[in-house]
Amino acid sequence: MDLFVMVVGASGIGDGGDKKYNYKVVAWTNEDDRRQTKIVTTNADPEFREVLHLPQNKAASFLNLEFFSVNSADTDAFFCGRANTALPMKTNANVYRKVKLENLETSGNIVTVGYLEVYLGLETG
């Protein structure tokens, strides 16, 4: 079985100012098999519109997503937030999810920093 994740974009991230930032998303269901999107440069909310293929070789219940701001060479990354969502229960059907990106404040409180929009499709091989 394979999981196809279309990372549509993020909202609540960009400030619309003059400075542009580079963003990427890393996704996984099993820690040892991470996939990442291309880097998107924008001063607004990033749109990725990229499909990531995650083979499901091990049992998994959740999709994990991490959102980063990176330099143009992708050699230095700043963690912006993490999200997770349950995998679809049905095969061969697409499910849309808008998931909260959360991070910890220095005080230890969890805060919402934005949202990721994804389509999930669990397909049999």
Side-chain angles (χ1 to χ4, degrees):
M1 207 170 311
D2 294 328
L3 176 66
F4 291 89
V5 179
M6 179 179 195
V7 180
V8 178
S11 57
I13 303 296
D15 62 8
D18 292 335
K19 186 171 181 180
K20 292 188 176 188
Y21 296 93
N22 302 308
Y23 299 105
K24 74 176 181 181
V25 174
V26 177
W28 74 95
T29 54
N30 297 300
E31 186 69 35
D32 58 344
D33 198 11
R34 293 172 170 238
R35 302 284 198 258
Q36 77 177 37
T37 62
K38 65 184 180 284
I39 294 172
V40 172
T41 303
T42 183
N43 63 341
D45 288 334
E47 292 185 20
F48 296 95
R49 302 205 181 280
E50 183 173 352
V51 176
L52 303 176
H53 174 228
L54 299 169
Q56 297 302 290
N57 302 325
K58 299 177 185 173
S61 302
F62 287 90
L63 170 67
N64 301 290
L65 300 150
E66 289 183 341
F67 186 78
F68 294 92
S69 175
V70 297
N71 64 6
S72 59
D74 196 16
T75 56
D76 192 23
F78 175 77
F79 175 76
C80 297
R82 175 177 290 137
N84 63 38
T85 186
L87 295 180
M89 299 298 279
K90 293 182 180 179
T91 57
N92 302 320
N94 290 324
V95 178
Y96 169 80
R97 302 264 170 80
K98 187 172 185 176
V99 293
K100 276 192 232 181
L101 281 168
E102 297 178 323
N103 201 341
L104 286 175
E105 290 183 317
T106 54
S107 64
N109 294 326
I110 297 174
V111 294
T112 300
V113 295
Y115 296 87
L116 274 178
E117 296 178 54
V118 296
Y119 281 96
L120 307 174
L122 197 56
E123 298 182 7
T124 55

